[in-house]
Amino acid sequence: QDVIVIVDEAYIDFAGPSARELLPGYDNLLVVQTFSKSRSMAGVRIGFALGSPALIKALNDVKYAYNSYTMNLPSQIAGTQAVKDRAYFEETRAKIMTTRERSKKRFAELGFTFPDSMTNFILVTHERVPARAIFDALKKEQIYVRYFNAPRLDNSLRVSIGTDEEMDVLFRFLEQYVKEWKPAGNSE
Ligand SMILES: *Cc1c(COP(=O)(O)O)cnc(C)c1O
């Protein structure tokens, strides 16, 4: 209770429930969310924080004292409208979640494993084919996923959920690719 706990809920709209439900019981809790993911506004640089009046006051005091470049007006107007348009928000996040669930099935059928995803991306690893090989092949097809050359991540690909059409292009390519892939230097 003598520290401030910040919960980063960048992906909460693709999952739930939010830690905001804990706010009434904890005045040292700050829940932060962004408009960059579920509200499709990456680059606009909007987010918000939910917390007790004392915590929010402390944030505002610091902001007005040290940060003379607070969020610009067009961004504030766009953000306000985005929150008001509940129907569009519900529609787009439902689409992502539906496509994500369908994608999990397709990845599993193609021999990929992944930690279960409650976000707008899936971190997949193939049972035979190295992630690096898949990444390079996809890039040649102009299909872009993320590859991290880092310990524990370098045999995985981070695939963001796109439209159904985009995911189908990916799966059509992967179907052929993993079927035909053979380790290099094995000519039998
Ligand atoms: C995207 C993201 C954020 C916030 O992104 P901004 O564009 O800076 O608002 C915060 N935390 C995590 C884990 C994220 O993935």
Side-chain angles (χ1 to χ4, degrees), residues 67-114:
N67 181 3
S68 46
Y69 303 99
T70 50
M71 198 192 300
N72 66 69
L73 191 58
S75 298
Q76 289 182 42
I77 293 170
T80 307
Q81 293 308 315
V83 171
K84 282 186 182 162
D85 195 347
R86 189 89 213 167
Y88 179 76
F89 169 68
E90 292 298 344
E91 183 190 318
T92 48
R93 78 188 186 110
K95 268 189 203 161
I96 299 272
M97 289 188 283
T98 304
T99 306
R100 177 187 69 201
E101 295 311 306
R102 189 174 72 88
S103 297
K104 286 179 189 175
K105 287 206 192 83
R106 290 295 289 129
F107 275 124
E109 286 164 6
L110 292 169
F112 288 88
T113 56
F114 45 85

Side-chain angles (χ1 to χ4, degrees), residues 8 10-11 34 36-37 45-46:
D8 180 352
Y11 298 97
T34 176
S36 291
K37 311 278 160 59
R45 317 304 307 145
I46 315 185

